[in-house]
Amino acid sequence: MNSILQHDLNDFENILEKAKQQGINFLNNLNNVPTSNKNTIDLVNNLNEFGLGSIEALKEFNERLAPLMVSSPGPRYLGFVTGGSTPASIVGDWLASVYDQNTQAVKAQGGVSALIEFETINLLLQLLELPDSFLGGFVTGATMSNFTSLGVARQWFGKQLGKDFAKNGISETINILTATPHSSSIKCLSMLGIGSQNYTTVKTIEGNREAIDLHDLEENIQKLSSKPFILISSAGTVNTADFDDFDAISKLRDKYNFWWHIDAAFGGFAAVSEKFKHLVEGWEGADSITIDCHKWLNVPYESAFYLIKKEHGNLQIETFQNSNAPYLGNPLENFNYLNVLPENSRRLRALPAWFALRAYGKEGFKDIVENSTSLALHFGNALIATESFELLAPIRLNNVCFTLKGSHNQEKVGEFLNIVNDKGKVFMTPTVYKGRKGIRASFVNWRTNEEDIKIIMEELKTSILDLEI
Ligand SMILES: *Cc1c(COP(=O)(O)O)cnc(C)c1O
């Protein structure tokens, strides 16, 4: 063995102890870590001939890189839809690396990692009150979950026309209807060879809504004259957290032949609260659902899962099969993840979610969701109590979409947001909503509290003054 490796092997305990202590220091100090950082690094490193050893590499990391890390797992990072990481989820994440299992076959000799993944999916189905007619698996994010789901939808579409797209390539235009898709779904259409322009945009409901207009949907369906299609619907749009009407879409299934996909990356967690579960009523009728764990489940990146109806298992295998003769049958018998999703070798990606679910239970996640949503409302109220801001849309769940008051201020929105973000106390992202420039604040982090709202409002008020100078 290389002598540096040998040294590290002998020094394992000390090395991990230092990494642990560093993690504790960072997480305990999270409130003081800036939410943004303009400093950058010079890419000076040439590959060293001889190793530094873990301790020296850690020192270098601490000197050059660690000071530039931003508090994206912290309570005032409201950009995109960014969750944090709970203690239990960090344990799961660390241990997934320590145990370093390759999570593929259920019946692998001496491995239960795929079964742990099954168990985790099972716990998640219970958390979200979904039936066990879905088979699920973990992927890196909602983008890959959309990819997996729409990949199977693509195969389904071909089969409706007697074609096997997975084997022979796409030979027909695939009909896709959607109203307010997330950008990642459009990226998936490109990756899947369907074409990022090859979809029909259905109108949204009149007024301040992003949800699909069912009347226009039906008109568009009728234009297809009984041809099959794929519907990409939304459980939580990123600007205003709007939801399509899933009960109504379910009823359309009696009349029309379509694959129904729901992107519920964060909005799916509405299901854990009595107050919000009506938003996802009827979603169990979908063929496939996308859910992110690194958002509202507050586990570290990269964690998301797809749910695809078991009845489509063969289509899923046709799309992703790796070995010669995969057989679905009873999924607990001969199942291998490498035949049903994009990756072959996979880490024990379910473990952070498994730990989080066991550690905090249904009540824990209900509390996180209800805390986030009440803080979003509180923030919205604080915004409109000032003379400087207006909401661009009602607050339906956890996302606040707002802007500087008055259309004459539209050109200042970008500059204002830069001022706010540069100060490093809060981070939010820009958006355009119904033709108006705005700012999004998304509440999903388990640590955020009332005190943070006070700090954020202070930052916004002083930034308004800076803008006027
Ligand atoms: C965040 C998000 C995505 C993309 O998720 P990643 O985890 O970044 O891949 C897709 N859809 C919706 C609705 C989202 O909020």
Side-chain angles (χ1 to χ4, degrees):
M1 188 186 288
N2 170 281
S3 62
I4 304 280
L5 280 165
Q6 183 66 58
H7 181 270
D8 267 11
L9 181 59
N10 299 342
D11 201 28
F12 235 138
E13 187 169 344
N14 177 37
I15 293 166
L16 291 188
E17 193 59 46
K18 282 207 156 58
K20 180 193 83 178
Q21 197 51 51
Q22 173 152 348
I24 293 170
N25 294 346
F26 177 75
L27 292 170
N28 279 345
N29 189 39
L30 206 48
N31 278 1
N32 304 316
V33 176
T35 48
S36 68
N37 196 321
K38 280 192 146 177
N39 298 323
T40 177
I41 52 169
D42 294 324
L43 306 177
V44 292
N45 262 348
N46 292 319
L47 178 62
N48 30 316
E49 190 66 31
F50 299 102
L52 305 172
S54 294
I55 296 292
E56 283 305 310
L58 184 62
K59 269 192 196 141
E60 180 185 330
F61 174 77
N62 285 342
E63 278 159 22
R64 286 182 63 223
L65 308 175
L68 305 179
M69 297 288 150
V70 297
S71 74
S72 47
R76 280 173 268 104
Y77 195 97
L78 310 179
F80 312 101
V81 184
T82 307
S85 33
T86 53
S89 73
I90 293 173
V91 172
D93 198 69
W94 283 5
L95 292 183
S97 292
V98 167
Y99 286 95
D100 196 22
Q101 307 285 295
N102 188 2
T103 309
Q104 297 181 336
V106 155
K107 279 260 169 88
Q109 281 166 323
V112 294
S113 54
L115 287 174
I116 295 174
E117 187 157 340
F118 268 84
E119 182 166 298
T120 310
I121 293 288
N122 218 340
L123 297 173
L124 285 161
L125 288 172
Q126 293 171 57
L127 178 74
L128 301 172
E129 298 187 357
L130 281 166
D132 65 2
S133 48
F134 289 98
L135 211 53
F138 275 80
V139 286
T140 50
T143 304
M144 285 311 288
S145 174
N146 283 332
F147 178 84
T148 308
S149 301
L150 294 173
V152 184
R154 181 185 69 175
Q155 184 68 359
W156 171 88
F157 186 93
K159 282 294 161 89
Q160 303 310 299
L161 309 177
K163 311 268 166 141
D164 186 337
F165 290 167
K167 276 214 175 88
N168 303 314
I170 300 173
S171 55
E172 307 282 335
T173 300
I174 300 181
N175 304 311
I176 299 199
L177 301 181
T178 184
T180 314
H182 186 267
S183 53
S184 66
S185 283
I186 306 307
K187 174 173 166 173
C188 291
L189 298 186
S190 153
M191 293 196 288
L192 286 163
I194 296 172
S196 60
Q197 297 192 343
N198 294 336
Y199 65 93
T200 301
T201 308
V202 180
K203 284 185 190 146
T204 51
I205 298 172
E206 285 243 352
N208 212 339
R209 297 292 307 272
E210 291 186 295
I212 200 162
D213 179 313
L214 290 155
H215 182 72
D216 193 52
L217 173 60
E218 218 162 339
E219 276 190 0
N220 274 291
I221 295 174
Q222 273 152 14
K223 277 189 210 148
L224 295 173
S225 5
S226 307
K227 291 202 200 90
F229 65 97
I230 296 168
L231 175 68
I232 304 175
S233 63
S234 295
T237 56
V238 284
N239 269 334
T240 69
D242 209 348
F243 289 71
D244 293 340
D245 181 341
F246 301 137
D247 266 340
I249 292 173
S250 297
K251 294 203 179 87
L252 293 178
R253 309 209 70 173
D254 301 335
K255 288 205 270 179
Y256 307 107
N257 182 27
F258 63 101
W259 180 285
W260 178 18
H261 175 64
I262 302 179
D263 183 346
F266 68 92
F269 288 91
V272 308
S273 162
E274 287 303 319
K275 291 188 203 164
F276 299 107
K277 63 167 36 157
H278 64 276
L279 293 169
V280 290
E281 216 171 274
W283 69 329
E284 68 280 358
D287 295 292
S288 56
I289 302 178
T290 282
I291 298 184
D292 247 330
C293 295
H294 55 222
K295 288 176 179 165
W296 233 341
L297 201 73
N298 278 269
V299 310
Y301 293 112
E302 304 162 342
S303 183
F305 61 102
Y306 61 79
L307 296 171
I308 298 175
K309 281 271 165 72
K310 284 177 182 167
E311 68 203 65
H312 300 310
N314 287 327
L315 293 168
Q316 197 171 349
I317 285 177
E318 285 163 18
T319 310
F320 292 109
Q321 80 174 58
N322 187 67
S323 54
N324 287 335
Y327 162 73
L328 186 62
N330 175 358
L332 292 181
E333 290 286 325
N334 274 306
F335 184 87
N336 192 327
Y337 269 111
L338 64 71
N339 288 317
V340 295
L341 45 65
E343 298 113 329
N344 279 11
S345 304
R346 306 160 70 236
R347 77 197 313 260
L348 218 179
R349 193 171 282 131
L351 203 56
W354 185 92
F355 264 91
L357 292 162
R358 296 303 286 161
Y360 309 120
K362 197 155 190 175
E363 194 68 15
F365 288 100
K366 173 180 153 272
D367 286 350
I368 291 177
V369 165
E370 292 186 352
N371 181 52
S372 301
T373 49
S374 89
L375 289 171
L377 269 186
H378 182 150
F379 179 55
N381 287 335
L383 284 173
I384 54 179
T386 70
E387 284 302 300
S388 311
F389 303 104
E390 60 181 302
L391 297 182
L392 284 173
I395 297 166
R396 300 190 176 92
L397 194 65
N398 61 319
N399 288 353
V400 181
C401 189
F402 67 102
T403 193
L404 295 176
K405 204 169 195 166
S407 46
H408 59 288
N409 278 325
Q410 272 288 292
E411 75 280 8
K412 291 192 196 158
V413 175
E415 188 193 344
F416 172 73
L417 182 58
N418 283 337
I419 293 173
V420 175
N421 284 345
D422 280 352
K423 290 183 176 175
K425 288 266 198 244
V426 54
F427 190 87
M428 297 182 285
T429 32
T431 191
V432 175
Y433 177 68
K434 307 260 183 216
R436 295 185 71 194
K437 287 185 188 143
I439 298 171
R440 286 177 61 256
S442 182
F443 290 84
V444 280
N445 189 292
W446 64 291
R447 291 172 180 259
T448 314
N449 62 29
E450 300 282 337
E451 192 53 38
D452 293 305
I453 304 291
K454 275 192 205 140
I455 295 171
I456 295 166
M457 286 312 298
E458 244 348 274
E459 289 298 297
L460 293 183
K461 284 175 192 165
T462 56
S463 300
I464 284 284
L465 298 178
D466 294 350
L467 185 67
E468 280 161 4
I469 285 165

